[in-house]
Every structure is written in C-alpha cells, then in structure tokens.
Amino acid sequence: MEALTPNTIPRSGQDTAKAPKRKRKGGFWSTVLQQKYLYLMSLPFVIWVFVFSYLPLWGWTMAFQNYKPARSFSEQKWVGFKYFHELFQDDRFYLVLRNTLAMSFMGLILGFVVPIFFAILLNELRGMFFKRFVQTVSYLPHFVSWVVVAGIITKMLSIDGGAVNQILMALHLTDEPIQFMAKGNWFWYIVTGSDVWKETGWNTIIYLAAITGIDPELYEASRVDGASRWRQMWHITLPGIRSTISVLLIMSIGHLISIGFEKQFLLGNNLVTDYSEVLDLYALNYGLNMGRFSYGTAIGIFNSVVSIILLFTANGIFKKVTKESIM
Amino acid sequence: MPKKAFKVTAISLIIASMLAVAGCGGGKEDTAAKDTGDTTSPITFSFFGADASPNWNKMQDEVGKEITAKTGVTINAEYAVSGGGQDKISLMAASGDYPDLIFAKGDVNKLVDAGAMLDLTDLIDKYAPNLKKVYGDYMDRLKYSNDDQAIYVLPTNAAVNQQYFDAGGGFEIQNAVLKELGYPEVKTVKDFENVLKAYKEKHPTIDGQPTIPLTLDADDWRIMITVTNPAFLATGAPDDGEYFINPQTYEAQLHYKRPEEKEYFRWLNHMYNEGLLDKETFVQKSDQYKSKISSGRVLGLIDQEWGYSDAENALKSAGKDERTYAHLPVTLSEEYKDHSFQDTGFTSGWGIGITNNCKDPVRAIKFMDWLASDEGQVLINWGIEGKHYNVEDGKRVIPQEIQDKKINDASNFTKTSGIGLYTIFSAHYGDGVKDPSGNYYTTNFPDQIVASYTPAEKETLKAYGATTWKDLFPSEKDFPVKPWGAAYNISVEEGSDYTVTYQKTQDIIRKRIPEAILTTPDKFDAVYDNMIKELNAAGAEKMEQQYTELVKDRVELWGGTTEAK
C-alpha cells in the first residue's frame, strides 16, 4: 500500500489549496482505482466473512423471543431477558461454568508449557533422523478421533485388565485396582492428560517452525562468548519465539470458554457428571434437545460475550506488559 | 481505510447480501394432495429413521427390490447412528429441512410444533383401505391429542393385535450355570443372588479370566433398561416409563417413590457390597458391556434381549452356545408378580409420518397402504416365495437352511434378504394374527419360536417344564388391560416447564441411583431419601400433577376404543 500512495499525489495536488476535505475523498477513490484489483480480490473474502460470521448474528434475536420454529419473525413473541434470567438462576449453570473454566485453564497451561518445552528439546537434538522420527510419532495422535482416544483411555484405566492398574499392582503401589473413571475429582486431570497426549506433538510444529527462523549467527556469537546450551535456550531460543507464543496465547484465551464437549462427553459417565458436564453439553441438553432454541441461543450469547471480554483483557494486559498486541 | 469509504463498502455489501437472502427465500412448494392416478412409475422418497438400522442396504436387498418393482418407490433412507436422532430432529425442526417421510419416535412433537407434519386423516380415508383395515377399531388411538385430533403418524413401532409368544426380558442367567446347579427354582432376587454366588465360588475364572457374577449397562439411556426399569418390574408394576400410574385414579408419580422399589435398589447395593455386582457397572460404555458378555464370563444380567443380542450372537458364532441366557421372571419377593406382559392394547404412539416437503403425498400413502396389504405384509415378514419360504399344503414353511442362516448369521441374512427392515414403514399386524389363507402374518409363532432356540436353551426350558420363555412368566390374562396404553409414549409440548423439570429429575436420578448403589449399606437410606428430596425440590411434584393430567387426557382421547379388547 505504502508503495502505491506516492503515485496519487500529483493528481490530487491540484485542488490541495481549495478543499482539504475533498482532497482526502478524492484521494481515497483514486486509491481504489489504483488498487482496484487488490480490492476486487479481497471482496469475496469480505462477503464470505459477512455472510458466515455477521449475518448469523441476526439469529441472536431468538434469545429474546419465545422462539417457535417455522413461524415468521413477526409472529414470534418477544420475552425480553427472560431466558437470561432463567440461565443465571440455574445452579447447574454455575456448576458447568466452573467445570468448563477449570478444564480449559488446565488445558491452556499444560497445552502451552508442554509443547514449548518439547519443541526446545527437539530443537537441541543432533541426529536429524531421530528428530524427524520423534516428531512424526508425537503428532500422529492428533489425527486419531476423540471417540477412539476415549476408548483407549477407558481401556487403559479400566480395573478389568487395564494397563495402568496392572503396572501399579505389579509395582505394589496399590493392592486394589483403582477405578480412575469413577472418581469425580480426577476427571479434570484425566481429560487434561489425554488432551496433552493427543495434541502436544501437533502444537509443537508451529514452535519448531518459529525456532528455525532464528538467526544462527546469534547462536554462534553466544558460543564464542562461552554460553552453555542452557544459556542459549534461555537467552536466544525462548526470546526468539516470544512473539509466536504471545499471539497464540492471546488467541487461545479468547477460546477459553468454548472448549467443545467431545472429550467430556465421551470420557464422562453418570458417576462424574458433576465434574464432566461442560457449557456446550449443557446447551445441547437443556437447549437444542428439548427444542428450547431460545434458551440455547441465550447460552450462546453468554459464551460469545465472555470470549470477547477475555480476548480484549488478555490483549490489553499483553500490550501493557510486552508492548505486543494482535489487534 | 478511511471511515466513510468503509461505510460505503459495508452498505453495498449489506444490500448485496440482502438480495441474495431474499432470493433464497422464494416460493414454497405447493404440497396440496393431488391424485395423479399413477401407481408404479419410479419415485424416490427421502426418509429419516430415529432408530439405528445398521443392516439397511439401500433397498438393494431382495425384499427391497420386490417392493420397488411393485410400487415404483425407492426409499432414500438415513438412520440415526445412535441415541434416537434427537439432535438431528431438533435441527430439522429449526431449519425446515425435512425428508419426505420421517420416523421420529418421541420427538415427533417438535416437528408437529414446527408445522412440518401433514395431517393424514383425509389421505387415509381416500387412498388407504388397507391401513383402515389394519388399524380397525384403533383409529381413535392415532389422533395426536384432544386439542389437535389430526393424524400425524401411522404408528408402526407397535404391531396391531400383537400376541406375545416369547419373553425377552426378566432376569437372565447363563444356561450353563443353571445346568451345573441342577436347574434350581429362581423366583426371587435372593434366589438369583444365591445362584450367581454358588457358581462364582465353584468357578472363580472362566476361560482364564475372572468370573463376573452380574453386570449392568448404565451408559446413557441404557441405565433405564437395566438399572431403573427392573425396579418396577421386580416389584409388580407395569412399564410406564419413569412413572407409576395408579390404575384407579390415574395419578402418576415417579416410580422411584414407591417404598418397595427402594428395597430393590437396596438389594443392588447389597450385591455391590458383596462383590457380586461388577465394579465397572456405572463406568463402562455399552460396547464394553457387550464385549464382557461375549467373552462368556458374565453369569447373570438384568436386561432386555435386544440390549445384548449382539453379544449373544457372538457367543453362538464362537460355539459357546451354553453361555447364552435363560429368561426368568424374578421379583423382589414371592408376593410380587412380574407385569411384563400386562396388555396395553394397541400402544399406538411412535411411527412414520409424511412431512409437508413431500412432493407427492398420495403416492407416499399408497406406498404405505400397499405395504399394509396382505401381499405387502407377507413380503416384509416372510420374504419372497420360493426363496425364503415355500408353500406346502397351503402352509408357509421356512426351509431349514434359511432358518439356520437366520439364527446363526442374522445380520448378513437381514442385509441380503431385507426381511425385518421394512416393518417401520407401515402398519402391520403383530405375532399371532392369521391372514385369509390361515397362515400367520409374521414368522414369530410358537413352532417357529421353538425352532429358533439353541440346543442349550431348549434343554433349560425342558428342565423347567416349559416350551418358551414366556411360559415361565405370568400371562397377560392375569392382568387387566391398561386403558392408557403405555405411558412412556405420551407426547408433551416442547420447551414447556414440564420438559425442563423432567430433564432435571433425570439428571438427578442418573447421578443419585448409581451413588446409592455404590455406597456402603449403612449410608444407603440417607442417599436414597436425599435423592427423593432433591427430586421434589426440582419440581417433581408439579411435574407429576401435569403428567396425571396427560394420562387422563389420553384415556379420554382413546375412550372409544379402550373397551374394544
């Protein structure tokens, strides 16, 4: 863009003296004319975003109506904030909110620390073949569906010949096999643990890519100055991928509340519902499945508002602390 | 980008997209019923079924091809993968994107509320003599409700005038266990417990793996079938879903509130603390449950045959015939009678309907009518003459090799023959009804049922002096007919307070019942009483009152036909 603007100066230069305001307007249109191909090329994407991300917001009106399907907009009955009232008065809502936030915070912390750590360790490996091999093996679980992963986890933790219990028994750490899946307060850890197992390798890729972008001269210089491997990691590698880390962190904070429900749905059972039910599952059970579309929409709006607040807060804090921002 | 320019772009975009949206919303199809007189030209109907149908073969099976040849109709079907298709149907109701025909089970009210279902009353009257004949006196039971007396679905989940010749429920014990213990009398839960205990002590492992005396399947809705429903069946009450309905006053209450059921759950608690109930009962998923059964080391079950038949088939194919299960009418104590067979009359309820997206409702109803004809019913139940059955001296007989395939290779047989896949598409008579030629409409009649038992089953039955499992159960003649049919298929208005309270009580029950069973015996009372308190706090009492009204309404709606049988 910058490169193109100088061309527009001579043309608009004529009426500079008369009307500075008009000059700007004319400047814009001539810019458009100059860059018409760029504008044309971006237009489909603008439309796409508008149609798929902004137009559906119209559906938010449902939350304020007693919505019945197959009736026109004017036939719906308006009820104001009734469904939000109902939502904030339901004890279960606070319970599922707690579960959602607890599991996503745990997931966020481990989901960041472990892949970064892993990426740095991989980067320090000398043998190219071994490095590639480890990397491939570690990201393969990403492609396994949660249904299968849940099956593997339940089987591993089963008391009926599950590998984990057999190891614990063989080491004499316990006498009785432990029912991992029946303990509510362990559920969060099981979910977080399986998430780390499944996604670590995949999340590592982006950090590895960022590390390759670091200038090798920096390492050489530090070696000349006598820096150890640990010093190099701490003073060169980590600062080198700092901006990648902060961008990804801010974006994940925005998604904190919408963690989906597959893991919890597939790993949970009746004994642990107090710990396993998350917001999305609650919206499905008490909203869509009962045909209460308005209530479901109210939950959706709450979700989006919280996400936006989280995103802006996180971005604001980062801006202050690190002078970096994604917006 | 300067502000004004942005505005202009935005406005033009809005206009553009509004035009696009308006374009999409254009004219609705005119679905007014017109009889084109055409009955066999090829036509395809899309269909959604809320029950999984894993053997569906896109009508490329033998019966399916025959149906297409006779009626010109091809069904383009999609079935719910699991869980009753609730989400899918909700989405259909919200989006207006329905198939031509739909089997929506209990969720049909969502579609009716959305105005998606066609009223079939006139169509049946004009074009469907066979449907009228099959439903006969029960036509009143097809009506939707007192306020809306339209017919939206043809009840096809239930068969008309069904007589039960076989029992698939009760409590189950492996035939091998009964044989080894010399076929003891098993009438009460105590007897049941003693049998499992005695065998487990003799054989702590089976095929090298630890013996499991009793396991249940509490995965999602299956908890109702194997954990909570047996509580009323073992204490002399019939199946009315989550309620017990007082036969005199029609008052409904959550069946958990009956004191005798508390004693049933106390027994389960005792079983757990004795180590007889599988510790993984409330953690395992249905597939784990079935894989345990198919390993042959689960001695006893409390389930319905359809819940574990996959596993039982696996046992048969593996040659472990003796590890299949006997059905016994076990009750809490001698004073109760198992009400499994209490007659509901024709239960009506769930079935197939035509949506207003259907282009040719007349062809659709004619298709269903043909399936309900004598010719159609024989085809969907028996298959093709000369291929799946022969007529000898005026009697339909299934050749031995076909019968063997049916028993031992059931799913493949269904896939290639298509027998049993088409009953949900139209009205059909139940077992025990004879057609004009003097043969039964279905292949389930006493001789055929006995023929389908495995040798181990026959041996057990002989030892107890019975020919079918049903002989062991109290007969329907011992009980009066229920005037409200089966309460579990009464539809309720969507999104009302009732549905919210119901969901809340379900959440409490599914959490607290396992807790009560898994606690120590001294704490059982506290946990159970607390559950009842929680239920009332969630609004159960008001919900019961509402349900009482619904039951009374139904008795009134069906009034004309309740005396028919």
Side-chain angles (χ1 to χ4, degrees), chain A residues 244-288:
Chain A
T244 315
I245 296 175
S246 51
V247 168
L248 287 180
L249 190 61
I250 293 170
M251 283 171 53
S252 328
I253 287 174
H255 291 142
L256 261 188
I257 203 160
S258 38
I259 53 170
F261 63 88
E262 303 129 291
K263 304 171 247 195
Q264 290 80 3
F265 181 70
L266 292 163
L267 286 167
N269 57 57
N270 286 323
L271 296 176
V272 299
T273 41
D274 280 353
Y275 295 87
S276 70
E277 201 171 56
V278 289
L279 211 53
D280 286 351
L281 208 54
Y282 175 79
L284 184 70
N285 285 340
Y286 280 86
L288 188 67

XYZ file of all heavy atoms in Angstrom, chain A residues 244-288:
352
model
N 5.589 -15.403 18.795
C 4.702 -16.509 18.417
C 3.899 -16.965 19.620
O 2.689 -17.163 19.546
C 5.529 -17.708 17.900
O 6.505 -17.219 17.011
C 4.656 -18.729 17.235
N 4.608 -17.121 20.747
C 3.930 -17.591 21.953
C 2.816 -16.636 22.348
O 1.685 -17.058 22.603
C 4.932 -17.739 23.117
C 5.954 -18.827 22.787
C 4.205 -18.068 24.418
C 7.046 -18.968 23.811
N 3.107 -15.334 22.340
C 2.081 -14.425 22.845
C 0.880 -14.353 21.912
O -0.259 -14.311 22.382
C 2.659 -13.039 23.136
O 3.370 -12.578 22.042
N 1.112 -14.386 20.613
C -0.034 -14.370 19.698
C -0.922 -15.593 19.933
O -2.141 -15.495 20.091
C 0.444 -14.350 18.228
C -0.712 -14.635 17.292
C 1.059 -13.008 17.906
N -0.293 -16.772 20.016
C -1.083 -17.990 20.209
C -1.804 -17.979 21.548
O -2.949 -18.414 21.659
C -0.179 -19.216 20.121
C 0.284 -19.550 18.718
C 1.182 -20.772 18.746
C -0.906 -19.809 17.800
N -1.120 -17.437 22.572
C -1.707 -17.419 23.905
C -2.949 -16.529 23.928
O -4.007 -16.930 24.436
C -0.681 -16.928 24.915
C -1.079 -17.081 26.379
C -1.305 -18.542 26.713
C -0.022 -16.508 27.294
N -2.831 -15.358 23.339
C -3.980 -14.438 23.338
C -5.159 -15.088 22.614
O -6.292 -15.068 23.086
C -3.611 -13.103 22.665
C -2.594 -12.367 23.519
C -4.851 -12.235 22.472
C -1.985 -11.174 22.831
N -4.859 -15.742 21.474
C -5.952 -16.361 20.734
C -6.591 -17.508 21.510
O -7.808 -17.665 21.511
C -5.473 -16.811 19.359
C -5.389 -15.578 18.468
S -4.619 -15.799 16.892
C -5.443 -17.111 16.170
N -5.777 -18.285 22.206
C -6.382 -19.389 22.973
C -7.197 -18.863 24.136
O -8.184 -19.476 24.517
C -5.345 -20.342 23.540
O -4.264 -20.435 22.725
N -6.778 -17.743 24.718
C -7.561 -17.196 25.827
C -8.952 -16.799 25.332
O -9.944 -16.997 26.018
C -6.819 -16.011 26.473
C -5.634 -16.545 27.272
C -7.748 -15.220 27.385
C -4.742 -15.495 27.847
N -9.007 -16.318 24.107
C -10.307 -15.999 23.526
C -11.209 -17.214 23.393
O -12.422 -17.102 23.435
N -10.583 -18.376 23.251
C -11.394 -19.599 23.084
C -11.603 -20.353 24.385
O -12.108 -21.466 24.370
C -10.717 -20.541 22.080
C -10.749 -20.017 20.689
N -9.705 -20.157 19.815
C -11.688 -19.320 20.026
C -9.997 -19.581 18.679
N -11.207 -19.065 18.779
N -11.184 -19.750 25.502
C -11.233 -20.466 26.779
C -12.572 -21.115 27.070
O -12.654 -22.221 27.560
C -10.916 -19.489 27.916
C -9.489 -19.503 28.436
C -9.388 -18.629 29.665
C -9.056 -20.912 28.768
N -13.648 -20.385 26.792
C -14.956 -20.856 27.249
C -15.590 -21.845 26.278
O -16.426 -22.653 26.649
C -15.881 -19.659 27.525
C -16.973 -20.069 28.507
C -16.460 -19.103 26.249
C -17.604 -18.906 29.178
N -15.136 -21.796 25.028
C -15.730 -22.740 24.077
C -14.753 -23.875 23.824
O -14.028 -23.875 22.844
C -16.091 -22.046 22.772
O -15.105 -21.109 22.450
N -14.734 -24.840 24.738
C -13.762 -25.930 24.598
C -14.380 -27.153 23.945
O -13.772 -28.200 23.896
C -13.142 -26.333 25.949
C -14.234 -26.630 26.961
C -12.211 -25.272 26.433
C -13.705 -27.250 28.234
N -15.609 -27.026 23.439
C -16.237 -28.191 22.822
C -16.672 -29.152 23.892
O -16.531 -28.875 25.082
N -17.208 -30.285 23.483
C -17.660 -31.204 24.516
C -17.328 -32.656 24.219
O -17.654 -33.542 24.994
C -19.167 -31.064 24.741
C -19.997 -31.421 23.542
C -20.394 -32.734 23.355
C -20.376 -30.464 22.623
C -21.156 -33.090 22.259
C -21.129 -30.816 21.524
C -21.521 -32.116 21.338
N -16.629 -32.927 23.112
C -16.409 -34.330 22.750
C -15.697 -35.090 23.848
O -16.105 -36.167 24.250
C -15.578 -34.460 21.481
C -16.114 -33.773 20.279
C -15.042 -32.925 19.683
O -14.683 -31.921 20.327
O -14.551 -33.261 18.597
N -14.571 -34.499 24.317
C -13.763 -35.207 25.310
C -14.602 -35.534 26.528
O -14.629 -36.660 27.012
C -12.614 -34.325 25.788
C -11.734 -33.811 24.724
C -10.775 -32.795 25.295
C -11.091 -31.436 24.727
N -10.079 -30.440 24.897
N -15.275 -34.507 27.039
C -16.033 -34.670 28.280
C -17.197 -35.626 28.077
O -17.507 -36.444 28.929
C -16.561 -33.312 28.739
C -15.496 -32.373 29.246
C -14.741 -31.684 28.127
O -15.038 -31.860 26.950
N -13.746 -30.889 28.478
N -17.819 -35.517 26.911
C -18.968 -36.365 26.618
C -18.551 -37.830 26.513
O -19.215 -38.718 27.031
C -19.591 -35.893 25.310
C -20.809 -36.657 24.893
C -21.989 -36.529 25.589
C -20.777 -37.493 23.796
C -23.117 -37.222 25.211
C -21.890 -38.189 23.401
C -23.065 -38.056 24.109
N -17.419 -38.049 25.853
C -17.010 -39.425 25.591
C -16.343 -40.070 26.797
O -16.448 -41.273 27.007
C -16.059 -39.473 24.394
C -16.720 -39.134 23.060
C -15.688 -38.802 22.018
C -17.568 -40.302 22.599
N -15.657 -39.279 27.603
C -14.958 -39.865 28.751
C -15.830 -39.905 29.992
O -15.574 -40.643 30.924
C -13.687 -39.073 29.051
C -12.526 -39.276 28.086
C -11.453 -38.225 28.302
C -11.912 -40.655 28.258
N -16.870 -39.079 30.015
C -17.686 -38.977 31.219
C -18.628 -40.152 31.413
O -18.843 -40.955 30.519
N -19.172 -40.274 32.606
C -20.232 -41.244 32.883
C -21.079 -40.684 34.016
O -20.782 -39.615 34.558
C -19.647 -42.605 33.227
C -18.706 -42.550 34.409
O -19.088 -42.114 35.484
N -17.475 -42.965 34.210
N -22.131 -41.411 34.389
C -23.081 -40.889 35.369
C -22.457 -40.558 36.721
O -22.982 -39.736 37.451
C -24.201 -41.903 35.584
C -25.141 -41.930 34.399
O -25.410 -40.888 33.827
N -25.616 -43.098 34.030
N -21.360 -41.225 37.054
C -20.795 -41.004 38.387
C -20.038 -39.692 38.473
O -19.814 -39.172 39.555
C -19.845 -42.153 38.748
C -20.489 -43.524 38.884
C -19.439 -44.569 39.134
C -21.491 -43.513 40.021
N -19.601 -39.171 37.352
C -18.755 -37.980 37.395
C -19.399 -36.772 36.723
O -18.722 -35.793 36.457
C -17.366 -38.248 36.751
C -16.638 -39.338 37.494
C -17.494 -38.629 35.287
N -20.715 -36.821 36.494
C -21.330 -35.702 35.751
C -21.089 -34.359 36.417
O -20.999 -33.348 35.733
C -22.849 -35.858 35.598
O -23.365 -36.347 36.811
C -23.211 -36.758 34.458
N -20.989 -34.339 37.750
C -20.779 -33.060 38.422
C -19.456 -32.418 38.023
O -19.252 -31.229 38.224
C -20.815 -33.244 39.938
C -22.249 -33.320 40.429
O -23.146 -33.096 39.601
O -22.458 -33.617 41.617
N -18.539 -33.210 37.490
C -17.258 -32.663 37.067
C -17.101 -32.663 35.555
O -16.232 -32.011 35.026
C -16.109 -33.473 37.695
C -16.075 -33.350 39.191
C -16.821 -34.197 39.989
C -15.333 -32.341 39.791
C -16.813 -34.064 41.365
C -15.324 -32.197 41.167
C -16.061 -33.057 41.949
O -16.066 -32.915 43.307
N -17.919 -33.447 34.875
C -17.660 -33.621 33.443
C -18.557 -32.760 32.571
O -18.242 -32.522 31.416
C -17.828 -35.092 33.051
O -19.177 -35.465 33.118
N -19.699 -32.312 33.080
C -20.590 -31.577 32.189
C -20.036 -30.177 31.926
O -19.723 -29.443 32.849
C -22.006 -31.487 32.765
C -23.005 -31.207 31.662
C -24.457 -31.307 32.113
O -24.825 -30.621 33.068
O -25.195 -32.076 31.503
N -19.943 -29.825 30.646
C -19.429 -28.506 30.283
C -20.524 -27.697 29.606
O -21.586 -28.213 29.266
C -18.203 -28.605 29.351
C -17.000 -29.108 30.102
C -18.501 -29.471 28.164
N -20.230 -26.429 29.397
C -21.231 -25.490 28.915
C -21.893 -25.938 27.606
O -23.104 -25.845 27.452
C -20.571 -24.120 28.734
C -21.452 -22.911 28.942
C -22.156 -22.963 30.269
C -20.602 -21.660 28.859
N -21.083 -26.429 26.679
C -21.642 -26.822 25.383
C -22.617 -27.987 25.521
O -23.637 -28.045 24.844
C -20.524 -27.210 24.409
C -19.780 -25.984 23.920
O -20.258 -24.878 24.218
O -18.745 -26.128 23.272
N -22.285 -28.902 26.427
C -23.148 -30.054 26.648
C -24.447 -29.612 27.312
O -25.532 -30.098 26.994
C -22.411 -31.043 27.556
C -22.768 -32.511 27.419
C -22.622 -32.966 25.993
C -21.869 -33.339 28.312
N -24.311 -28.666 28.223
C -25.474 -28.107 28.907
C -26.401 -27.433 27.887
O -27.611 -27.629 27.907
C -24.984 -27.117 29.957
C -26.068 -26.354 30.681
C -26.780 -26.945 31.719
C -26.362 -25.046 30.336
C -27.755 -26.244 32.387
C -27.337 -24.330 31.002
C -28.035 -24.933 32.029
O -29.010 -24.245 32.676
N -25.800 -26.682 26.975
C -26.604 -26.007 25.943
C -27.315 -27.030 25.071
O -28.467 -26.845 24.682
C -25.714 -25.114 25.085
N -26.634 -28.133 24.792
C -27.236 -29.173 23.961
C -28.395 -29.850 24.697
O -29.483 -30.007 24.156
C -26.173 -30.208 23.588
C -26.613 -31.307 22.645
C -26.843 -30.747 21.260
C -25.576 -32.405 22.575
N -28.157 -30.232 25.969
C -29.183 -30.956 26.727
C -30.387 -30.098 27.079
O -31.518 -30.533 26.954
C -28.593 -31.507 28.031
C -27.725 -32.716 27.783
O -27.848 -33.353 26.736
N -26.847 -33.030 28.697
N -30.110 -28.907 27.574
C -31.216 -28.081 28.049
C -31.735 -27.118 26.981
O -32.727 -26.446 27.182
C -30.810 -27.313 29.300
C -30.875 -28.153 30.545
C -29.807 -28.949 30.921
C -32.024 -28.188 31.313
C -29.875 -29.749 32.039
C -32.108 -28.985 32.437
C -31.041 -29.761 32.801
O -31.121 -30.559 33.903
N -31.028 -26.997 25.879
C -31.483 -26.102 24.823
C -32.015 -26.872 23.640
O -33.187 -27.220 23.569
N -31.108 -27.208 22.738
C -31.493 -27.822 21.478
C -32.307 -29.100 21.636
O -33.372 -29.245 21.039
C -30.232 -28.103 20.663
C -30.462 -28.577 19.244
C -31.085 -27.470 18.433
C -29.174 -29.020 18.618
